[in-house]
Amino acid sequence: MAVAWSSFLGAGVLEALVFAVVDPGELRWFGAAPIELSAQAVYTLSFLIFWGVSALGASLALLLVSLPDEGSPARHAPGWPR
């Protein structure tokens, strides 16, 4: 839950910062055709993408912090990680 909640808050802040500058009605696919989605759909999809990327980064950081050192004795139960 620590990863999910912190990434949720981070995605909310990131979305507020991005859409303070970007108008969802002016978005285009790589400069070509306009995106045919409502503003609410753009906000929702972008929030989910921001949340997923933030959660992935936080999960990897948490994993790297909790990995045992090569030379130290195991601090975790046998079979860790599963």
Side-chain angles (χ1 to χ4, degrees):
M1 282 307 297
V3 169
W5 183 242
S6 62
S7 61
F8 178 84
L9 294 176
V13 170
L14 185 59
E15 179 150 0
L17 292 174
V18 167
F19 288 111
V21 178
V22 176
D23 180 20
E26 297 294 322
L27 292 177
R28 299 187 175 278
W29 291 107
F30 301 104
I35 295 178
E36 299 293 333
L37 295 173
S38 68
Q40 186 175 4
V42 172
Y43 291 141
T44 302
L45 290 175
S46 63
F47 178 79
L48 292 174
I49 290 169
F50 294 155
W51 192 8
V53 170
S54 298
L56 179 64
S59 297
L60 289 175
L62 190 61
L63 177 69
L64 291 174
V65 166
S66 65
L67 284 177
D69 294 335
E70 292 292 327
S72 68
R75 295 179 294 170
H76 301 284
W80 183 88
R82 293 182 182 193

